[in-house]
Amino acid sequence: MKVLIVDDHDLIRKGIRLLLEGFSDVEVVGEASNGCDAITLALKHHPDVILLDLSMPTGLDGFTTAKTIMDELEDVKIIVLTMHDEEIYVQKAIQYNIHGYLLKNSQTNDLHEALQAVYHDKRFYRTHIPEERLEKMFAEKEPKSPLTNREREIVRLTFLGYTNNQIANKLKISPKTVENHKTNIMQKLGIKEKHELIQYALKNHIADLV
């Protein structure tokens, strides 16, 4: 994976680079000491993951830098690497859709684990905040679904390949009711095609419902 390092302290950047060069699956594509340079290098090299400090005294702060880069590069993953362990910072990272959050006093294997996790589209937050509290913070960030439970179930069964008649039998309703539900679902989501409904189910993890 291609990694960009962003930190205003030269010694810290060099130390991180030295650690990353010990990982056979990592290529460091650049270093930046401030947010503006980070944006420029990110647009030039298209890194897979950016290790980003929050506190950069000159120019843009870490959160503004992250948002600017993610707005431009849809596939880039951001890991905040910071000394700040306070809940207010973690909560802000969640609000900004930051993929990973790691403290600078973490172990080397934590850094590699974080890189692997976000590279494979998983979030990685390792702080001193209890896991239960973290999960609650993420849950509060998730938008409310516009669909009812019945509509979500119909989307799930559609994703699994059930026909309208099969869905009707399974839910003990009429095929006409299933059709009406699907019409309402499409209108609520602003979509017109079945493949868009499948994409919605995947993106919102409706397919994972039991």
Side-chain angles (χ1 to χ4, degrees):
M1 71 189 81
K2 296 188 296 183
V3 177
L4 174 65
I5 304 167
V6 185
D7 195 292
D8 64 314
H9 292 96
D10 185 66
L11 285 177
I12 291 178
R13 289 199 314 276
K14 300 306 180 189
I16 294 171
R17 175 185 276 272
L18 189 61
L19 287 176
L20 295 183
E21 288 176 347
F23 303 147
S24 60
D25 55 350
V26 172
E27 175 193 359
V28 178
V29 294
E31 299 177 23
S33 61
N34 59 68
C36 292
D37 287 348
I39 294 167
T40 299
L41 289 176
L43 294 178
K44 178 180 178 180
H45 295 293
H46 289 238
D48 299 302
V49 183
I50 298 176
L51 292 173
L52 179 65
D53 188 17
L54 288 181
S55 301
M56 292 181 285
T58 58
L60 304 176
D61 66 90
F63 287 121
T64 304
T65 301
K67 183 180 186 306
T68 303
I69 291 173
M70 289 191 292
D71 284 346
E72 294 291 333
L73 301 174
E74 184 178 321
D75 295 329
V76 72
K77 304 298 190 302
I78 306 285
I79 297 175
V80 162
L81 191 59
T82 180
M83 290 301 298
H84 294 296
D85 197 22
E86 297 87 349
E87 184 170 314
I88 187 172
Y89 289 99
V90 178
Q91 194 161 37
K92 192 169 182 179
I94 292 172
Q95 293 299 318
Y96 272 73
N97 296 315
I98 301 296
H99 308 87
Y101 198 104
L102 194 64
L103 301 178
K104 286 185 176 178
N105 59 2
S106 299
Q107 299 297 314
T108 302
N109 59 330
D110 290 336
L111 176 58
H112 192 242
E113 187 179 349
L115 289 167
Q116 285 288 339
V118 302
Y119 182 70
H120 292 99
D121 296 318
K122 299 175 183 176
R123 74 168 187 251
F124 187 97
Y125 275 60
R126 186 154 293 172
T127 72
H128 293 116
I129 298 173
E131 189 65 27
E132 184 177 322
R133 174 59 186 150
L134 265 180
E135 290 299 329
K136 185 177 180 182
M137 290 162 68
F138 276 105
E140 290 169 350
K141 168 69 171 60
E142 292 298 322
K144 299 291 185 183
S145 172
L147 305 181
T148 65
N149 289 338
R150 174 51 59 89
E151 289 169 343
R152 286 169 65 85
E153 178 64 6
I154 288 173
V155 172
R156 186 182 76 88
L157 293 172
T158 300
F159 173 83
L160 294 175
Y162 286 80
T163 65
N164 284 358
N165 286 338
Q166 289 171 327
I167 293 173
N169 290 334
K170 194 170 184 66
L171 300 181
K172 296 180 171 54
I173 57 179
S174 71
K176 180 64 176 175
T177 300
V178 174
E179 291 178 15
N180 290 339
H181 275 305
K182 284 191 175 181
T183 298
N184 290 336
I185 291 167
M186 296 289 199
Q187 289 176 346
K188 281 184 178 182
L189 300 180
I191 60 179
K192 296 180 180 180
E193 303 293 337
K194 181 179 178 181
H195 72 88
E196 294 177 286
L197 193 61
I198 300 302
Q199 290 173 352
Y200 176 85
L202 279 171
K203 184 177 180 180
N204 292 274
H205 305 291
I206 293 178
D208 300 335
L209 297 177
V210 178

